[in-house]
């Protein structure tokens, strides 16, 4: 649906795509391996289930000799999925290798392959969810922290798709040019390996080291692991996926009274002042950082004395002063209260916000509520960082203005939003299970589904949220947890159905030696975290395009994909061509003519 006054500038360029896969010639095989082994390359906007959509993907192929193609900016991560399937024979001894061209390696372009593992969905998150084994866990061939070799796929089961995930990163110094690479799949019994060529163009465009938009994805820890190392590794995993885990101060042993700043700077400084990541970005940092807890859990309680208030304010003021001296005080906020529901909660919010304001005038109290709700309870002038649920955001022309907040002269920097179980339904399944013949869920809303990070939802639904950030003129995004299931002692590899959703609050996996081989534990990304990363980079493209051609033209372009937080096309092809068009606007100031779209998940050709 396009809102009044908003047109789709892409028009008929949203054409039918020939295929989601690069074709593979029939393999010359021997032994017991049959000739129906197929492999291909898929872009990052499609989830390939074990067999539900794998067979249909391989049913059609683009013209022989064509090559999978994609684009990426400098300082951008881009991904390819490698999918293989054997229709009737179990194939063993499977191995995969990736080689970039000499020119790509000379340009500093790097790649990191992963094996894709599956999570089994037994109860859908809502009526759009899919049952069964769904790709979500990503195990790097060699982890970027310890350089240890991890377990890889070695078998193609009969009739099931097996996947690998390849990340490619182009550094800021990479020349804008076209490059090539080859994925090779070998297996026992294959007379010759299967080769899958791909091409990519590095745009004459550089994404920023640090996003101009804030993100705060909270980290809950993992029992049985080293909290300091786990926090650092998880922060780095987040930064390599363009999000910030803002809990660092709460995990830092240097946050004493007074804080040990020399030690803090040595151990944690790079995360706020800029530093290199294990893979990809060479000078990035957090975009948001939450304050420590202070001296009380509940500041309005009689047990929390005036002396405790004063001590907390003093420590917070000390922290603020150090960050201000280093030019990064804008990162700080206090998570003052989460979803206040009653007068006890509002009283606590008022009390703690007052302590925050006394600590430093620039330190922002944050609350997950709407401005109208806050005003109704007398905290409109105390809260400085508002984070309403996306379901509560109002929509005006193309969703481009936050009218309530803008009218109140609250800057975009101080308005975040977040998604919760309200996006899929906080009860079991979110609707009558469609497998049992149930109907549609009322949570779908009047126009469509809300964005959501659940495992059993489409990659488009996992990725669309940052487009909402741009469309509504927000300053950032809050998400309640990266690691809730493991923090609660669950095995998140098999058990993360929470608040009616598969994966709510769990976007990472513990990569223990038992699970993935090697000797040391590392945090693992989910497929959904890749979608979030790509969405955050989409957001940067939108900002760059807006700076070049103006907001109205960008709104017109994206209206074929999204017009509000719950009115968007859950279609990989539409997202792919829209993203490519935004990239053209940011790079050239105009759309490519004609639009030459090859692959909806590869985001087109050169």
């Amino acid at each position: 649906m396009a809102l009044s006054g908003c047109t789709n500038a892409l028009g008929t360029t949203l054409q039918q795509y020939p295929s989601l896969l690069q074709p593979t010639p029939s393999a010359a095989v021997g032994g017991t391996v049959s000739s129906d082994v197929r492999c291909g390359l898929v872009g990052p906007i499609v989830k390939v289930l074990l067999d539900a959509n794998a067979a249909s993907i391989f049913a059609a192929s683009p013209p022989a000799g064509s090559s999978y193609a994609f684009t990426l900016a400098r300082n951008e991560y881009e991904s390819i999925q490698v999918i293989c399937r054997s229709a009737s024979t179990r194939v063993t001894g499977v191995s995969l290798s990736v080689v970039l061209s000499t020119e790509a390696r000379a340009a500093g372009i790097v790649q990191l392959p992963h094996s894709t593992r599956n999570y089994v969905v037994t109860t859908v998150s809502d009526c759009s969810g899919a049952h069964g084994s769904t790709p979500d866990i990503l195990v790097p061939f060699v982890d970027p922290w310890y350089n240890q070799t991890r377990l890889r796929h070695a078998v193609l089961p009969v009739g099931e798709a097996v996947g690998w995930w390849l990340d490619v990163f182009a550094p800021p110094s990479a020349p804008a040019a076209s490059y090539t690479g080859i994925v090779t799949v070998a297996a026992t019994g294959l007379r010759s390996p299967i080769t899958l060529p791909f091409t990519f163009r590095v745009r004459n465009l550089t994404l920023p080291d640090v996003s101009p938009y804030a993100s705060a994805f909270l980290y809950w820890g993992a029992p049985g692991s080293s909290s300091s190392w786990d926090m650092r590794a998880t922060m780095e995993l987040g930064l390599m996926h363009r999000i910030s885990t803002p809990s660092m101060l709460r995990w830092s042993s240097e946050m004493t009274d007074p804080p040990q700043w020399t030690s803090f700077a040595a151990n944690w400084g790079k995360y706020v002042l800029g530093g290199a990541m294990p893979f990809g970005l060479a000078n990035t940092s957090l975009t948001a950082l939450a304050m420590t807890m202070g001296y009380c859990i509940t500041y309005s309680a009689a047990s929390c004395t005036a002396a405790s208030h004063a001590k907390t304010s003093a420590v917070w003021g000390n922290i603020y002063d150090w960050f201000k001296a280093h030019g990064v005080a804008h990162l700080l906020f206090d998570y003052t209260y989460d979803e206040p529901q009653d007068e006890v909660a509002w009283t606590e919010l008022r009390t703690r916000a007052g302590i925050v304001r006394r600590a430093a005038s620039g330190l922002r109290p944050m609350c997950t509520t709407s401005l109208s709700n806050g005003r109704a309870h007398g905290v409109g002038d105390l809260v400085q960082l508002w984070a309403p649920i996306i379901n509560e955001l109002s929509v005006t022309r193309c969703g481009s203005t936050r009218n309530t907040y803008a009218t109140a002269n609250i800057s975009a920097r101080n308005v975040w939003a977040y998604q919760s179980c309200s996006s899929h339904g906080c009860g079991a399944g979110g609707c009558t299970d469609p497998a049992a013949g149930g109907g549609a869920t009322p949570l779908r809303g009047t126009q469509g589904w809300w964005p959501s990070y659940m495992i059993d939802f489409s990659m488009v639904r996992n990725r669309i949220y940052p487009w909402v950030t741009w469309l509504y003129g927000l300053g950032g995004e809050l998400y309640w947890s990266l690691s809730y299931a493991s923090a609660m002692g669950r095995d998140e590899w098999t058990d993360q159905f929470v608040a009616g959703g598969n994966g709510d609050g769990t976007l990472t996996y513990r990569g223990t030696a038992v699970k993935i081989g090697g000797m040391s534990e590392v945090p693992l990304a989910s497929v959904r975290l890749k979608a979030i990363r790509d969405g955050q980079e989409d957001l940067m493209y939108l900002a760059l395009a807006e700076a070049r051609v103006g907001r109205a033209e960008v709104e017109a372009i994206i209206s074929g994909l999204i017009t509000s937080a719950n009115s968007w096309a859950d279609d990989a092809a539409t997202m792919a061509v829209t993203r490519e068009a935004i990239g053209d606007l940011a790079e050239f100031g105009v759309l490519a003519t004609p639009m030459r779209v090859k692959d909806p998940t590869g985001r087109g050709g050169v």
Side-chain angles (χ1 to χ4, degrees):
M1 181 194 77
L3 299 180
S4 176
C6 305
T7 59
N8 175 17
L10 292 180
T12 58
T13 61
L14 298 178
Q15 56 192 275
Q16 179 67 38
Y17 295 88
S19 174
L20 295 179
L21 284 176
Q22 155 70 17
T24 301
S26 297
V29 298
T32 60
V33 180
S34 65
S35 60
D36 58 7
V37 175
R38 300 289 303 278
C39 294
L41 303 181
V42 187
I45 319 182
V46 168
K47 289 184 183 177
V48 182
L49 307 184
L50 279 180
D51 200 44
N53 60 352
S56 62
I57 284 175
F58 281 104
S61 295
S66 64
S67 179
Y68 179 90
F70 64 94
T71 61
L72 77 165
R74 293 184 289 248
N75 234 21
E76 180 180 8
Y77 298 92
E78 187 54 71
S79 299
I80 308 170
Q81 296 182 76
V82 184
I83 307 296
C84 289
R85 181 176 182 270
S86 179
S88 60
T89 306
R90 185 175 185 269
V91 180
T92 61
V94 179
S95 65
L96 179 142
S97 62
V98 183
V99 177
L100 298 179
S101 65
T102 301
E103 295 79 8
R105 296 194 301 273
I109 298 167
V110 291
Q111 50 90 13
L112 180 64
H114 303 71
S115 292
T116 306
R117 307 282 187 86
N118 295 291
Y119 180 91
V120 178
V121 173
T122 56
T123 303
V124 293
S125 300
D126 69 19
C127 292
S128 72
H131 283 90
S133 194
T134 303
D136 195 56
I137 309 160
L138 295 173
V139 180
F141 282 16
V142 178
D143 78 81
W145 290 280
Y146 294 105
N147 200 35
Q148 294 176 7
T149 299
R150 307 296 181 161
L151 297 176
R152 309 177 188 181
H153 292 311
V155 175
L156 296 182
V158 176
E160 295 182 358
V162 171
W164 296 265
W165 190 281
L166 174 65
D167 280 337
V168 177
F169 179 82
S173 59
S178 294
Y179 302 92
T180 62
I182 296 177
V183 175
T184 301
V185 181
T188 301
L190 285 179
R191 190 172 303 153
S192 60
I194 297 171
T195 57
L196 302 168
F198 60 91
T199 64
F200 58 98
R201 182 174 69 87
V202 174
R203 290 183 179 274
N204 188 23
L205 187 72
T206 304
L207 298 189
D209 292 318
V210 181
S211 174
Y213 297 87
S215 60
F217 284 61
L218 304 182
Y219 175 65
W220 288 50
S225 63
S226 169
S227 60
S228 178
W229 153 248
D230 201 50
M231 178 73 250
R232 286 185 175 88
T234 301
M235 275 199 304
E236 291 175 354
L237 184 70
L239 288 169
M240 288 186 287
H241 291 82
R242 295 289 195 170
I243 62 169
S244 294
T245 51
S247 313
M248 184 177 76
L249 294 180
R250 298 185 181 184
W251 287 87
S252 167
S253 61
E254 292 85 357
M255 289 297 104
T256 54
D257 186 3
Q260 303 168 43
W261 288 119
T262 301
S263 178
F264 175 84
N267 293 327
W268 304 92
K270 78 171 189 177
Y271 301 116
V272 294
L273 302 178
M277 294 299 104
F279 172 72
L281 292 166
N283 185 33
T284 193
S285 60
L286 300 173
T287 57
L289 194 59
M291 294 301 290
T292 60
M293 287 300 297
Y295 284 92
C296 294
I297 296 175
T298 304
Y299 285 86
S300 59
S303 58
C304 186
T305 64
S308 294
H309 286 196
K311 288 174 67 177
T312 298
S313 183
V315 170
W316 287 349
N318 191 319
I319 293 171
Y320 185 87
D321 289 344
W322 187 90
F323 276 78
K324 183 177 180 180
H326 289 80
V328 288
H330 63 279
L331 299 178
L332 296 171
F333 71 98
D334 178 60
Y335 203 133
T336 306
Y337 207 90
D338 185 67
E339 298 181 349
Q341 301 292 328
D342 54 29
E343 186 53 35
V344 172
W346 291 107
T347 298
E348 173 64 16
L349 172 57
R350 296 184 199 103
T351 303
R352 179 161 174 155
I355 296 170
V356 173
R357 299 296 297 275
R358 287 194 294 275
S361 60
L363 181 57
R364 298 173 295 168
M366 188 273 284
C367 183
T368 52
T369 192
S370 65
L371 176 60
S372 58
N373 201 25
R375 283 174 166 173
H377 291 88
V379 299
D381 294 329
L382 280 175
V383 174
Q384 289 189 318
L385 177 55
W386 300 90
I389 191 172
I390 58 170
N391 312 66
E392 296 175 348
L393 288 176
S394 58
V395 182
T396 59
R397 180 181 177 274
C398 293
S400 62
T401 58
R402 308 157 290 109
N403 56 346
T404 302
Y405 299 89
T407 302
N409 294 318
I410 298 173
S411 69
R413 171 179 175 266
N414 292 320
V415 184
W416 297 354
Y418 71 103
Q419 53 184 290
S420 69
C421 61
S422 295
S423 290
H424 55 263
C426 300
C431 65
T432 303
D433 194 328
T441 170
L443 294 169
R444 191 173 189 273
T446 57
Q447 303 298 334
W449 302 105
W450 297 98
S452 179
Y453 295 146
M454 299 307 100
I455 295 170
D456 49 326
F457 292 163
S458 71
M459 288 293 278
V460 175
R461 192 170 178 185
N462 293 161
R463 180 170 170 168
I464 197 69
Y465 185 92
W467 297 70
V468 175
T469 297
W470 183 87
L471 189 64
Y472 283 62
L474 303 173
E477 176 183 359
L478 174 72
Y479 192 67
W480 70 283
S481 173
L482 280 172
S483 59
Y484 177 78
S486 59
M488 295 296 104
R490 298 185 181 189
D491 180 357
E492 73 276 17
W493 287 60
T494 59
D495 180 19
Q496 51 172 301
F497 188 82
V498 174
N502 293 289
D504 199 356
T506 302
L507 300 173
T508 61
Y509 291 82
R510 291 185 65 183
T512 63
V514 172
K515 294 283 191 184
I516 68 170
M519 299 176 61
S520 308
E521 179 176 334
V522 294
L524 304 178
S526 63
V527 166
R528 292 164 294 143
L529 195 58
K530 299 297 181 184
I532 293 168
R533 178 204 66 193
D534 289 347
Q536 291 292 330
E537 291 181 332
D538 294 344
L539 178 56
M540 296 179 201
Y541 270 85
L542 288 163
L544 290 170
E546 179 182 2
R548 180 143 192 183
V549 303
R551 186 173 184 89
E553 186 167 350
V554 178
E555 284 183 349
I557 291 294
I558 71 169
S559 65
L561 173 67
I562 180 171
T563 55
S564 77
N566 70 329
S567 179
W568 44 271
D570 194 355
D571 179 74
T574 303
M575 174 170 274
V577 71
T578 305
R579 172 60 152 75
E580 195 71 7
I582 295 302
D584 286 344
L585 287 183
E587 183 180 10
F588 306 119
V590 295
L591 296 180
T593 305
M595 293 286 289
R596 291 181 292 167
V597 181
K598 295 180 180 179
D599 186 307
T601 59
R603 299 210 286 248
V606 179

